[in-house]
Amino acid sequence: MKYLLVLIVLIIAYNIWRKQRRLDDAAKRPGPRPRTPAITQEMVPCAHCGLMLPKGEALQSDARTYFCCAEHQRSGRK
């Protein structure tokens, strides 16, 4: 009976030690990397249909006129 009690105490102490060790390891791990902000582009409307699209994807006719596709660029402003 005395050995059973000693064995139970050792098992409990071992489990407490393991749990503490896991918590310490988790605290040492680096957290998630911070998200980098997405690169934003200015949105411009198509002069023909009004569709908003990123300036980098738009077809530019003159300084301030943008179109969403070549067909709208050929047909011009609405």
Side-chain angles (χ1 to χ4, degrees):
M1 186 72 172
K2 178 171 81 172
Y3 293 113
L4 184 59
L5 184 61
V6 171
L7 182 63
I8 291 173
V9 170
L10 288 175
I11 290 173
I12 292 172
Y14 175 73
N15 285 331
I16 291 172
W17 174 76
R18 261 186 42 199
K19 184 178 181 182
Q20 186 62 37
R21 188 171 170 209
R22 276 193 225 143
L23 292 174
D24 289 344
D25 288 345
K28 290 178 185 176
R29 282 192 217 130
R33 285 189 256 160
R35 292 184 62 173
T36 56
I39 298 172
T40 57
Q41 292 185 23
E42 180 183 354
M43 299 293 284
V44 293
C46 174
H48 183 77
C49 65
L51 176 74
M52 297 295 289
L53 65 157
K55 192 173 183 177
E57 295 178 20
L59 301 173
Q60 189 171 2
S61 179
D62 57 40
R64 301 187 89 192
T65 308
Y66 298 94
F67 295 96
C68 61
C69 61
E71 183 180 337
H72 284 180
Q73 191 175 22
R74 281 192 300 275
S75 58
R77 289 180 176 252
K78 204 172 190 184

